[in-house]
């Protein structure tokens, strides 16, 4: 096993205090509209990752118009054009925020000042919509085991690691990862997901 070249101590993983969790979708969306302007620094390069297109668009619509001007939303442009505009804004000394879905949670390279803050709206549980996934879950359940803990939780943990990995792209990178989902602290499965993350510094509100 080769040790990671990244200095995980340069990154802080934060779960701020919230009065709701994504189980109440409407309240969670309202909380994101209130919280995002507080956690996103105006002059910084940030990436906000959503699991739901509807929530992404609802949050964007709910944010103050002046703050919306520095947000680039997936689907408004191609992925390559969003990244180009984002980098150009940062190069010009302005802040820029990307609102993206799963395709921005992997394979996106924004080193240094291009991304100092990754915000993840909620634990990225997959929707088991394929027949293969449904059959696997049925098979596990038929054996008296728990498909949620054996399939869904490890998959979500891997997706969260990938999403948080957008922050550290070089050995010198640093910044913050903020998860706006308190289930990682309040649910039994949250500990397993938390323990799967690299050894970031932690601020668990």
């Amino acid at each position: 096993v080769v040790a990671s070249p990244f200095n995980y101590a340069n990154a802080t993983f934060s779960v701020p205090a919230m009065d709701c969790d994504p189980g109440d979708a409407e309240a969670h969306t309202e909380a994101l509209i209130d919280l995002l302007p507080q956690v996103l620094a105006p002059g910084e390069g940030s990436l906000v990752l959503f699991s739901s297109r509807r929530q992404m668009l609802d949050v964007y619509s709910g944010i103050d118009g002046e703050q919306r001007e520095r947000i680039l939303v997936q689907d408004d442009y191609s992925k390559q054009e969003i990244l180009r505009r984002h980098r150009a804004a940062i190069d010009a000394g302005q802040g820029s925020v990307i609102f993206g879905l799963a395709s921005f949670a992997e394979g996106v390279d924004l080193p240094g000042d291009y991304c100092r803050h990754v915000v993840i709206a909620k634990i990225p549980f997959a929707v088991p919509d394929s027949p293969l996934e449904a059959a696997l879950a049925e098979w596990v359940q038929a054996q008296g085991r728990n498909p949620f803990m054996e399939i869904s939780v490890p998959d979500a943990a891997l997706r969260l690691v990938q999403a948080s990995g957008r922050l550290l792209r070089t050995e010198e990178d640093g910044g913050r990862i903020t998860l706006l989902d308190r289930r990682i602290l309040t649910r039994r499965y949250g500990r397993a997901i938390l323990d799967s993350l690299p050894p970031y510094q932690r601020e668990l509100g």
Side-chain angles (χ1 to χ4, degrees):
V1 177
V2 179
S4 170
F6 300 130
N7 185 355
Y8 292 114
N10 285 344
T12 299
F13 181 81
S14 169
V15 182
M18 299 175 69
D19 294 331
C20 64
D21 69 37
D24 184 339
E26 188 174 333
H28 187 245
T29 294
E30 289 299 321
L32 296 190
I33 291 169
D34 290 338
L35 272 173
L36 282 175
Q38 299 175 37
V39 302
L40 294 173
E44 210 166 52
S46 303
L47 175 62
V48 183
L49 297 168
F50 295 86
S51 298
S52 155
R53 176 175 272 101
R54 178 178 177 180
Q55 185 176 53
M56 177 179 74
L57 297 176
D58 285 349
V59 170
Y60 177 72
S61 298
I63 285 178
D64 180 72
E66 187 176 325
Q67 293 172 326
R68 280 205 304 266
E69 291 178 6
R70 61 189 178 97
I71 299 174
L72 295 161
V73 183
Q74 182 174 343
D75 296 341
D76 279 359
Y77 308 98
S78 70
K79 185 176 180 180
Q80 291 73 21
E81 178 64 10
I82 284 177
L83 294 173
R84 187 195 69 76
R85 287 173 178 250
H86 176 79
R87 293 186 183 106
I90 300 300
D91 289 342
Q94 304 162 4
S96 179
V97 180
I98 295 173
F99 274 20
L101 299 165
S103 61
F104 277 85
E106 54 185 61
V108 170
D109 194 35
L110 293 169
D113 288 339
Y114 293 131
C115 186
R116 291 296 182 190
H117 195 174
V118 174
V119 179
I120 302 165
K122 60 184 178 183
I123 298 169
F125 286 109
V127 179
D129 51 5
S130 81
L132 191 63
E133 291 169 338
L136 178 59
E138 284 179 23
W139 179 75
V140 169
Q141 194 163 18
Q143 294 187 320
R145 291 148 56 195
N146 185 334
F148 178 74
M149 290 301 295
E150 290 193 33
I151 301 172
S152 299
V153 169
D155 178 70
L158 178 60
R159 289 167 184 261
L160 187 61
V161 169
Q162 288 177 328
S164 62
R166 297 312 95 208
L167 181 71
L168 301 181
R169 308 307 300 162
T170 72
E171 294 176 35
E172 293 78 33
D173 279 357
R176 296 181 67 80
I177 301 153
T178 302
L179 176 64
L180 300 176
D181 186 344
R182 294 193 60 77
R183 293 177 300 179
I184 202 167
L185 305 178
T186 61
R187 302 294 174 87
R188 184 169 62 93
Y189 59 77
R191 172 54 60 181
I193 295 176
L194 198 56
D195 288 346
S196 73
L197 293 170
Y200 304 122
Q201 295 187 64
R202 293 181 179 179
E203 290 181 2
L204 307 179

